[in-house]
Amino acid sequence: MNADLHCHSTRSDGWLEPAAVVRRAAANGVELLALTDHDELGGLAEAAEAAREAGIRFVPGVEISVSFKAETIHIVGLGIDPEAPALRNGLRQVRSGRDQRARSMGEALAAAGISDALAGARRFARNPDLVSRAHFARFLVASGVMPDVKTVFDHYLVRGKPGFVEHEWASLQEAVGWICQAGGIAVVAHPARYRLSGADMDALFDSFAAAGGEAVEVVSGAHTEEEMLRFASLARRRNLLASRASDFHGEKESPVDVGRCNPLPPDLLPVWSRLL
């Protein structure tokens, strides 16, 4: 099955409206799609309607920002009830801190010689409650400061660089709990991206499983072939469901188009076996 269970729209930091993401997925042969905007459920109804019109199956999802051992981890929730009170209230709490973080990032970039960065980032954010690092990066690219988004992150927006601002997100236990209370399946997103030691990665998955988490993105647009094999092994060892995801944000920024990532290794149990 061509399943893509992690992508983004303009409701968070994607380039396309929810319906346009669905239409692109359908054109690329996707049969099962999840929209998983950051800490936001606002695009799900539009995407679900577009999926019905396009004749593809749709999974309501979300990607929740989590703080774990001084690292920001992303936990995807699949098959959630978007009206679940615990999830909606939890995401509201997570979003409430984003505005202050954005203001602090603007101040930090101003101190580094880049003026009006917050106003510039807001021009790229369709959702005013979700001004993210990606929106700052797009502004810096459009301003000619850096040639592309990845270079902006490397020079300004990661830990130790001038525009990075420490922020406390939800706890791992909170995020997984909200997903479970909403009837969903919790998934560790793109695990190869996290700067965790082997011991800390084990601690992440120990805590994730203890909280009720059940799956890991083995295939991700952010993963190399070697990383895919590494997390396929982890899924086998820990009896986790395996997810497949492009993490598509837009044609200009994402290394893999929606629906075009590698297939899962055939011996793994796909997470969509629990979603269909």
Side-chain angles (χ1 to χ4, degrees), residues 40-86:
E40 176 61 58
L41 307 170
L44 295 179
E46 179 184 330
E49 177 60 29
R52 282 191 291 271
E53 294 173 358
I56 67 175
R57 292 172 171 174
F58 180 73
V59 175
V62 68
E63 185 174 17
I64 304 178
S65 306
V66 161
S67 294
F68 181 84
K69 291 187 178 292
E71 184 77 359
T72 298
I73 306 295
H74 290 156
I75 302 297
V76 163
L78 298 175
I80 55 166
D81 173 6
E83 300 303 320

Side-chain angles (χ1 to χ4, degrees), residues 68-73 133 153-154 157-161 164 166 190-198 200-201 204 230:
F68 181 84
K69 291 187 178 292
E71 184 77 359
T72 298
I73 306 295
R133 290 187 301 169
F153 269 79
D154 290 344
L157 300 178
V158 295
R159 189 179 304 279
K161 300 300 180 179
F164 179 81
E166 194 72 55
H190 41 62
R193 282 177 44 181
Y194 308 133
R195 294 166 299 177
L196 295 174
S197 67
D200 284 346
M201 186 68 76
L204 170 65
R230 174 188 171 194

Side-chain angles (χ1 to χ4, degrees), residues 165-194:
V165 172
E166 194 72 55
H167 186 73
E168 189 68 24
W169 302 104
S171 72
L172 181 63
Q173 290 75 18
E174 286 174 329
V176 174
W178 298 335
I179 292 166
C180 292
Q181 289 176 67
I185 299 172
V187 187
V188 176
H190 41 62
R193 282 177 44 181
Y194 308 133

